[in-house]
Amino acid sequence: MPEILPAGTPAPDFTLPVTPDQKLSLSDLRGKPVILAFYPADWSPVCGDQMGVYNEILPEFQKHGAELIGISVDGPWCHDAFAQDRGFHFPLLADFEPKGAVARRYGVYRDGDGISERALFVIDKDGKIAWSYLSPIAVNPGADGILDALENLPK
Amino acid sequence: MATLRTPVDPHDHTQGDPNAPCTLVEYGDYQCLHCARAYPIVKRAQEHFGDRLLFVYRNFPLTRSHPLAESAAEAAEFAATQGKFWEMHDLLFENQDRLGPDLYQQLATQLGLDPAALVDALDSGQFLDHIRAEFMGGVRSGVNGTPTFFINGERHDGPFDYPALVGAINAALANS
């Protein structure tokens, strides 16, 4: 079982589809903190709640200048439908081809299940992992850990 | 394990004995279907445990998915200023499919409150800071959706059907 990348590790860069015809690279966001929220699947009840809470508190993340990114192995069209249905105001990245490649590099891919773990990373403005957290897959981790980590970033 | 960081205090809406050995805190949203499903389950648990359970309700309106959740919370806070919080809380959940200004005024009248004062209070937004503060207190405690329950300060991560909720409260009572 690979280990989730710990704090202090440089965050592996990646480029993934953010819509069916646009891509986003982690390095595009250098200079501001990034919250990377890996989740198992669009539409599953726990994920929907988790992303719904994050959507609601986006202004709190923005107070820290942070960008929130959701990421799962679902394809961009699926993300598009999910985001529209729920009214999300943050990007969902498709770790779809090769499947789960980014999740593997962060140590949060579940081989037997073909999905990513429910895992959170706060990456600092210089691209280093400042905090990471692996949640039990059935437990929605909420946002308290993220906000604590953002507050603890060096100013 | 997520724990409640905002202790229960005199500003909270509570039902039951303040010295009860178990405190159940719910973060809820009046427009959330799961909260409406939890509402009679909590009531039944309150009847079952009687003096052994203190129940606390706090607002956690997910306004982007539930556009009427915040105004419903304001209506309940308005009722609270005249000692009718729980009556309004119950009626809002019992009439969840009709949330909106017309219902709030009708319920105010039904509870002997001044419907015009309710309209003024909602227009002024006077309860919004309080509701927002409660919401953020919930976020900092690890509230991750609605309803989220804390039993003696620990987030309850399992299902909240009646047997599960009663089982979790029994476990907390055994530890207290």
Side-chain angles (χ1 to χ4, degrees):
Chain A
M1 186 71 195
E3 294 281 317
I4 180 172
L5 292 184
T9 316
D13 195 23
F14 54 78
T15 301
L16 287 175
V18 61
T19 69
D21 53 11
Q22 282 179 301
K23 293 193 170 188
L24 180 73
S25 297
L26 181 63
S27 51
D28 295 343
L29 301 171
R30 191 66 55 85
K32 43 183 147 183
V34 175
I35 303 151
L36 202 53
F38 286 91
Y39 62 99
D42 289 347
W43 306 107
S44 86
V46 173
C47 307
D49 283 353
Q50 183 185 357
M51 296 301 142
V53 170
Y54 294 171
N55 195 43
E56 190 78 27
I57 59 173
L58 280 179
E60 297 298 321
F61 296 150
Q62 285 157 358
K63 279 184 195 166
H64 296 274
E67 291 282 338
L68 170 67
I69 293 174
I71 177 167
S72 80
V73 298
D74 296 287
W77 291 104
C78 186
H79 277 338
D80 194 44
F82 183 50
Q84 279 197 29
D85 182 72
R86 305 295 163 92
F88 290 163
H89 295 270
F90 58 92
L92 299 177
L93 298 189
D95 193 10
F96 181 72
E97 175 59 33
K99 189 181 175 197
V102 174
R104 283 178 202 277
R105 290 167 66 203
Y106 280 77
V108 296
Y109 191 70
R110 293 170 72 94
D111 261 317
D113 301 324
I115 52 178
S116 84
E117 297 278 5
R118 197 179 294 287
L120 301 171
F121 294 85
V122 169
I123 298 166
D124 70 17
K125 61 183 173 42
D126 301 318
K128 198 170 71 184
I129 295 172
W131 175 79
S132 66
Y133 177 73
L134 178 64
S135 180
I137 196 149
V139 176
N140 172 342
D144 49 321
I146 296 173
L147 289 167
D148 289 348
L150 289 173
E151 279 177 6
N152 290 334
L153 288 176
K155 296 289 172 249
Chain B
M1 173 54 88
T3 55
L4 190 65
R5 294 199 204 165
T6 321
V8 175
D9 76 15
H11 297 103
D12 273 308
H13 304 301
T14 68
Q15 275 183 326
D17 184 343
N19 298 314
C22 186
T23 300
L24 174 68
V25 176
E26 175 183 355
Y27 279 88
D29 169 321
Y30 292 107
Q31 204 182 351
C32 161
L33 295 174
H34 302 289
C35 297
R37 194 159 59 80
Y39 160 68
I41 294 171
V42 169
K43 270 219 179 319
R44 209 174 135 201
Q46 288 180 277
E47 283 163 22
H48 175 75
F49 288 104
D51 290 346
R52 292 179 294 159
L53 186 68
L54 177 70
F55 177 55
V56 180
Y57 183 89
R58 288 177 174 169
N59 293 299
F60 200 80
L62 290 167
T63 56
R64 295 197 186 197
S65 11
H66 300 145
L68 297 169
E70 191 168 74
S71 61
E74 290 180 273
E77 293 301 325
F78 169 78
T81 61
Q82 298 178 51
K84 299 279 187 186
F85 173 79
W86 289 105
E87 290 83 348
M88 186 64 92
H89 162 278
D90 291 5
L91 288 168
L92 288 168
F93 277 126
E94 288 164 17
N95 295 280
Q96 189 183 52
D97 55 342
R98 294 197 295 129
L99 293 181
D102 292 348
L103 177 71
Y104 309 150
Q105 289 183 60
Q106 179 201 319
L107 296 181
T109 307
Q110 187 178 331
L111 293 173
L113 310 174
D114 177 0
L118 178 140
V119 171
D120 288 347
L122 266 65
D123 282 348
S124 74
Q126 66 187 93
F127 302 113
L128 290 177
D129 284 350
H130 166 75
I131 292 167
R132 193 74 202 164
E134 240 170 36
F135 179 92
M136 278 315 298
V139 168
R140 298 314 295 255
S141 297
V143 172
N144 50 22
T146 50
T148 292
F149 293 101
F150 291 84
I151 299 173
N152 279 356
E154 297 284 330
R155 191 177 68 197
H156 172 67
D157 281 334
F160 57 84
D161 55 276
Y162 183 73
L165 197 61
V166 166
I169 293 170
N170 272 326
L173 284 169
N175 285 331
S176 68

